[in-house]
Every structure is written in structure tokens, then in C-alpha cells.
Amino acid sequence: MTSRKRDPSLENGGDEGSAVPENKRTKPLHKAALILARGGSKGIPLKNIKTLAGIPLIGWVLRAAVESELFDSIWVSTDHDDIERVARSFGAKVHRRSPEVSKDSSTSLDSIQEFIRLNPEVDVVCHMQATSPCLHPFHLKGALEYITVKGYDSVFSVVRRHHFRWQEVHQGTDEVTKPLNLDPSNRPRRQDWDGELCENGSFYFCTRELLQSQGLLQGGKVAYYEMRPEYSVDIDVDIDWPVAEQRVLRYGYFGRDTPEVVKIMFCNISGCLTEGRIFISSSGTEMISLNTRDTAGIRMLKNEGVEVILLTSNLDPVAKALSQNVSHRLGCEVMSVHEKPLEDLKDIVKKRGLSWNDVAYMGNDEIDVDCLNVAGLSAVPSDAPVVAKNGTKYICKALGGKGAVREFAEHILLQKRKAKSQLEQDRIDRTTC
């Protein structure tokens, strides 16, 4: 076995099909992204909307699909109300699948065929797995071009594995195992072996014609799209979750507006730095508490050159009264905002010569939604109301006043290290090519 250079998306030959490139058609293809998200997951209940690295699992795939701007429509096929709400919050349409294709025995193909039957305008179905949170827009673009530009009927994602496989031996028999993909007397080194292409389950794209005429997701003129191992993440059981979370934090797609380096962070005192409770002493003095983990998180940001401005509202007199004490203790500016914080903060961002892509914002309620939407990085504590969660890019595991600010600070600094690492890798690539 010898090594050779590989194109990351080589075709895997198949029989010539009837696919016609989009530029040779009389009318453009309608390309629909479809994510199947049944509510009855047995391994992890409601797995598709469980929070992974700050957002619902299905949100990672939906974000990549929406921001790729490749699709004429983006759909989530589900039988569950909560999944429907999350899907719509990310901008997807919802196909309510029938009970006939919502059973434990139902296959993905059953659900996809029902979808195309009820949506006759769709020419190409781009089925993406909700359990593949490291999917990026560039993966989708590269794969879809096999159908729209090169005229293939189907394309699916693979990852290259270097695993030696052996034949299974059944218990209670005298069978002897045999090698399936190697010669034990001449074991190749990893660098001398190209490995094998294995489906990684991230996506399966195919034409409507293939689905209807042959009932197949993979057929006709077939291609594969090779994804690098770091992007090949799948989640089936609970033990996969912490591993996937760490992978996503490093290799996940956080959106096209994610800043490389945050320059300034705005953080609401009420509900983020405090836990929303008021303590009243025997003399009638009102008090609130600060968590040392959160104050340490603010100091971490300041030590890394991130300016932190704490926000208090005219509607919260206790937090406002505390502002002077907090400002002195943490060395941060404290600013009073009105019912629409975005209007108050625009001048601050402009005066510093920044764009909102340089800003991190942490809020906790409906009045924060506009800021959560426009900031490059944004977060809410885990006990924030749904309206705030739907507007943010990151949902903390911690509660307000109980470590949420520290968690978001660590997330901001992780993105900074990630960007620095990528710049260093790009430098190495340029000097070695």
C-alpha cells in the first residue's frame, strides 16, 4: 500500500444517471434542506433539542444550512411540538410528519419520501443529520455542487478511517477470525496506507427523480464528499455528549458573524451577575449577592484586554443602587440603560471605533433580545425566559448569579484561543506549501 495525495471531495464512480447540471436546465432546481427530528429518541430523550455547547443540538445544523444561503427552503420534519418551536426559532419551516412515519420502525427514507410527496416543488433533497453538529456551510456547498454543477444524482459524506478490521467470531464456535482489510505479515504504517472511506452520516443529498423512480438515497451517478475527521461527529448515546461538546467548541460553526477577538463585553447586572433574589436585613436594608466565580470571570476578561461594561436598568432600583459598589470592587464601568438597551449602547460601540461583531453581550430578558441578536457573541443564563434564549447564540448551563458570567467569559476566551490557533496554523500552512 502506498500513500498518495487526495482531493477532499473525489467522486466515487457510479452508473451514469439522468441528472442534468443546473446551468443546463430550463428552470432552476428547487433545493430543499431537510432535517429529520423525531421526538421519540430512545437513547437520549428529546436529543435533537438538548443543549450542546450553548444551543440546541439541531440548531448547529440549522445555522449552517441557513447561513450557507444555498437552499430555496429549509425544513425540519418532526412529530413533536417542542422540536417545532426550536426549528422555527432558527428560521426553518416545519413538516409535521404523519404517525405512519413516526414509529420506532420507520426509516429515514420513509420520512423523506413522505416529504417529497407533499412538496412537489422540491427537485433536490439535502438530508442533513441533526446529530452532526460540526457541519459547516463549506461542506454543504462542496457537496451540493456535485448535483447542481456536475450532474450527479446523489452525494453523501464520508470520513477516512485507518482501522484494521477482523472477521467476527461467534461465541461457542471453533471459528477462527480472519483479517478483512490487511495482511498481518505485511502491516502497513499509517502514513503508507490511504485508509478506508466510511459514511459519517452528516448528510445525504439526492434528486427527487432518484427517490421516486428507485426509492434510493444513494444511487444513479453517485459521488462522495470527504470530511476531515475533526468535523465528523455523531451522537447516539449519552457517553457521546461530553466528547461532542468539546469537539464542537473547537470545530463547530458559530456563525459567519462570530468575532475572532471580542473587544468589549456588555453584561446586565440583574439576572446575570445576580440571581434575581433580594435579601432584606432585620433593619429593612435590601441586599443582593455576587458570586465569586462570576467576578473572577470578569477579571479574566479584563486581564485579556476585554473591556467590560456592566449594565443596570432604571427599572431595577436595587441593582442600580449597587452599581457604585460593583464598579469599585470590579474596576468596571457601570452604565444605566433604558427599556431599549441597544439604543443606549450604539454610541458606546461607535465611539470606540468598533462594530457589533467585536461585541459580546450577556442579557437575561426580553429587553435584551435586540442586543443579543446583533452582538458577535451573546449569551443568556440557563434560567432566562424562552424569548431571550431564542435570540441568543449561546445558552449557559449555569444559572444567573451562579456562574453564568464565568461560563460565558470562558467561552469568549476559548473563541479567542481558537482564532489564534487557526491563524498560527494558516501561517504554518503558508510556510510549508
Side-chain angles (χ1 to χ4, degrees):
M1 299 180 186
T2 58
S3 61
R4 56 183 171 84
K5 292 183 178 180
R6 300 182 297 272
D7 181 83
S9 52
L10 292 170
E11 299 93 28
N12 183 16
D15 296 333
E16 290 293 327
S18 57
V20 179
E22 190 170 21
N23 59 6
K24 294 183 180 181
R25 289 177 173 264
T26 56
K27 76 177 185 69
L29 294 168
H30 182 108
K31 302 170 286 292
L34 178 65
I35 296 96
L36 305 182
R38 192 169 65 91
S41 172
K42 299 300 182 185
I44 306 175
L46 285 180
K47 170 177 64 178
N48 293 307
I49 56 173
K50 182 178 177 181
T51 300
L52 177 76
I55 69 171
L57 176 61
I58 196 173
W60 292 100
V61 178
L62 284 171
R63 178 187 285 166
V66 170
E67 296 199 2
S68 72
E69 298 182 342
L70 296 170
F71 304 107
D72 300 289
S73 58
I74 297 173
W75 297 79
V76 170
S77 171
T78 188
D79 58 345
H80 199 281
D81 292 342
D82 290 341
I83 296 176
E84 176 174 350
R85 281 192 288 271
V86 171
R88 292 193 187 280
S89 75
F90 278 88
K93 298 181 178 181
V94 173
H95 164 66
R96 290 297 294 220
R97 62 171 70 180
S98 68
E100 288 73 27
V101 298
S102 300
K103 304 172 184 175
D104 289 342
S105 58
S106 299
T107 66
S108 295
L109 184 59
D110 294 334
S111 300
I112 295 170
Q113 287 180 319
E114 179 187 73
F115 170 78
I116 63 164
R117 187 172 66 251
L118 297 175
N119 294 275
E121 74 282 3
V122 173
D123 299 304
V124 177
V125 175
C126 304
H127 166 42
M128 290 169 274
Q129 301 267 44
T131 52
S132 301
C134 283
L135 192 65
H136 283 242
F138 76 84
H139 296 134
L140 302 174
K141 182 178 185 295
L144 190 56
E145 285 178 351
Y146 278 101
I147 293 177
T148 60
V149 177
K150 300 177 182 179
Y152 282 76
D153 297 291
S154 57
V155 59
F156 58 95
S157 57
V158 300
V159 63
R160 193 171 295 271
R161 301 293 189 198
H162 291 77
H163 295 163
F164 294 133
R165 295 180 293 108
W166 290 76
Q167 184 178 32
E168 181 180 3
V169 173
H170 298 286
Q171 295 293 326
T173 70
D174 294 329
E175 295 179 14
V176 177
T177 190
K178 298 177 182 178
L180 296 177
N181 67 342
L182 81 152
D183 176 3
S185 64
N186 187 27
R187 292 173 65 93
R189 300 182 305 166
R190 181 185 177 91
Q191 59 265 40
D192 296 330
W193 180 38
D194 287 340
E196 297 180 327
L197 297 177
C198 305
E199 290 185 25
N200 69 355
S202 286
F203 55 74
Y204 300 85
F205 296 175
C206 69
T207 63
R208 179 188 192 88
E209 187 173 349
L210 180 67
L211 280 164
Q212 288 186 321
S213 63
Q214 299 185 44
L216 297 173
L217 277 174
Q218 297 160 293
K221 186 179 178 182
V222 188
Y224 64 75
Y225 180 90
E226 184 176 349
M227 294 174 64
R228 284 168 26 196
E230 56 264 37
Y231 298 114
S232 297
V233 178
D234 194 20
I235 301 172
D236 288 320
V237 293
D238 273 329
I239 197 171
D240 296 331
W241 207 267
V243 176
E245 192 154 50
Q246 291 304 309
R247 187 80 68 87
V248 167
L249 287 171
R250 184 167 183 181
Y251 298 110
Y253 178 68
F254 283 84
R256 58 189 168 208
D257 294 328
T258 300
E260 289 186 350
V261 179
V262 165
K263 305 289 179 56
I264 187 171
M265 174 186 169
F266 297 109
C267 177
N268 248 325
I269 292 178
S270 180
C272 296
L273 202 55
T274 68
E275 58 182 341
R277 293 192 299 171
I278 297 175
F279 302 92
I280 302 176
S281 70
S282 58
S283 62
T285 303
E286 293 181 335
M287 298 175 292
I288 57 177
S289 64
L290 298 179
N291 192 300
T292 55
R293 285 179 293 169
D294 292 325
T295 57
I298 290 175
R299 290 192 181 95
M300 287 165 54
L301 291 173
K302 287 167 60 65
N303 289 340
E304 290 291 328
V306 178
E307 182 181 4
V308 178
I309 297 181
L310 302 176
L311 306 178
T312 184
S313 169
N314 293 327
L315 304 177
D316 189 347
V318 177
K320 187 176 180 182
L322 183 73
S323 62
Q324 186 174 355
N325 193 324
V326 171
S327 176
H328 174 73
R329 182 178 293 273
L330 298 179
C332 298
E333 179 182 346
V334 177
M335 177 180 174
S336 178
V337 294
H338 298 86
E339 291 185 25
K340 294 186 177 181
L342 182 60
E343 297 302 316
D344 296 307
L345 302 181
K346 282 180 179 178
D347 287 342
I348 301 292
V349 174
K350 186 177 180 180
K351 285 178 181 177
R352 294 206 180 18
L354 305 175
S355 73
W356 277 94
N357 196 43
D358 302 314
V359 174
Y361 187 93
M362 188 167 196
N364 185 53
D365 218 326
E366 186 173 359
I367 66 169
D368 298 304
V369 170
D370 289 341
C371 293
L372 293 169
N373 278 323
V374 300
L377 285 178
S378 59
V380 296
S382 63
D383 55 345
V386 172
V387 66
K389 288 181 176 178
N390 287 344
T392 193
K393 297 177 175 68
Y394 185 89
I395 302 172
C396 296
K397 293 180 181 178
L399 301 170
K402 295 187 176 181
V405 173
R406 168 65 178 262
E407 182 181 338
F408 188 40
E410 290 178 344
H411 178 66
I412 292 170
L413 296 179
L414 176 64
Q415 297 309 305
K416 181 178 180 179
R417 289 193 294 270
K418 180 179 173 182
K420 183 178 180 181
S421 175
Q422 185 59 55
L423 288 172
E424 180 64 18
Q425 185 60 53
D426 291 344
R427 184 191 67 78
I428 293 171
D429 291 343
R430 287 194 299 271
T431 57
T432 55
C433 61

